[in-house]
């Protein structure tokens, strides 16, 4: 698949290292041979979950170069029916063992309308060999337990917490290397309690000429808006109780 020109960031965190180990094991030819000799499918699935803005998607994107170094076919948000009926069969016509990596953001939305096909991919009798499946979700409870809690379906289910400050600095410095490091650290501190998207946005604002003062004013307006929204939601809940 083609990848946008957006810079890919390899974050050095414990979750990133665990994910990378899973990927390396999947592509290890010795492990592949052992599995197949034992009559087991060469297949691995990873599910990442946690609140919005904790860097789940960035973690996965950071793995793209290593996947492509293994000559994998990487498919982002593919149509599952097409994967089963057309895409993988077409790949297998010319290469019976080429690894295929399927990546689904907002995985809970995918299974809401394609549960049977997801199960068919993950552990069906005719599920494809040499396939890695990676899903991310902000709402782990929307992924049924019978799907997420079975090792035969997801070999790794990993909660992704908020990135530590050092990783946020690394993320911004790698992606926005044209910004001064002192400024980057200020922007990281300004967005410490906010999702990673906010750090990206304030870096973009700095690139377009906003001063620290202007950025602080924008963030204050966001805090005020969010506080009003929370108050309105609480009022609505009180009304419903009455």
């Amino acid at each position: 698949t083609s990848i946008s020109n957006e810079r890919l960031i390899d974050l050095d965190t414990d979750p990133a290292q665990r994910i990378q180990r899973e990927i390396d094991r999947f592509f290890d030819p010795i492990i592949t041979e052992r599995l197949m000799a034992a009559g087991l499918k060469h297949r691995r699935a990873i599910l990442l979950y946690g609140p919005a803005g904790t860097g789940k998607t960035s973690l996965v994107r950071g793995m793209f170069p290593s996947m492509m170094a293994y000559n994998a076919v990487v498919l982002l948000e593919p149509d599952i029916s097409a994967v089963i009926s057309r895409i993988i069969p077409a790949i297998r016509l010319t290469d019976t063992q080429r690894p295929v990596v399927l990546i689904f953001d907002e995985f809970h939305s995918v299974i809401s309308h394609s549960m049977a096909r997801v199960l068919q991919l993950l552990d069906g009798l005719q599920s494809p060999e040499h396939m890695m499946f990676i899903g991310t979700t902000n709402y782990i409870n929307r992924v049924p337990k019978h799907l997420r809690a079975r090792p035969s379906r997801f070999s790794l289910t990993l909660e992704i917490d908020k990135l530590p400050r050092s990783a946020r600095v690394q993320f911004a410095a790698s992606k926005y290397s044209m910004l001064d490091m002192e400024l980057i650290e200020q922007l990281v501190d300004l967005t410490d309690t906010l999702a990673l998207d906010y750090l990206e946005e304030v870096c973009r604002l700095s690139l377009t000429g906003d001063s620290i003062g202007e950025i602080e004013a924008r963030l204050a307006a966001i805090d005020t808006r969010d506080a009003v929204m929370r108050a309105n939601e609480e009022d609505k809940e009180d009304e419903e109780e009455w």
Side-chain angles (χ1 to χ4, degrees), residues 11-42:
L11 294 175
D12 184 20
T13 61
D14 288 342
Q17 292 170 10
R18 288 191 64 183
I19 297 165
Q20 188 63 61
R21 283 197 299 272
E22 290 287 306
I23 290 172
D24 290 341
R25 288 170 183 166
F26 172 76
F27 287 107
D28 186 328
I30 296 175
I31 293 177
T32 302
E33 187 176 336
R34 286 177 187 163
L35 291 173
M36 299 188 75
L40 301 173
K41 291 276 189 180
H42 178 222

Side-chain angles (χ1 to χ4, degrees), residues 150-183:
R150 287 184 59 175
S152 62
R153 291 169 180 168
F154 284 99
S155 55
L156 176 64
T157 299
L158 185 62
E159 182 176 9
I160 306 299
D161 294 320
K162 176 188 169 185
L163 287 175
R165 184 182 187 278
S166 60
R168 290 165 73 90
V169 170
Q170 177 197 355
F171 175 86
S174 298
K175 195 164 187 178
Y176 302 96
S177 57
M178 62 291 298
L179 295 178
D180 178 78
M181 181 57 72
E182 183 178 347
L183 173 59

Side-chain angles (χ1 to χ4, degrees), residues 80 84 110-124 146-147:
I80 291 185
I84 295 171
V110 176
I111 60 174
S112 68
H113 54 77
S114 299
M115 174 66 82
R117 292 184 178 89
V118 168
L119 290 173
Q120 183 179 345
L121 275 176
L122 291 178
D123 67 356
H146 73 268
L147 178 60

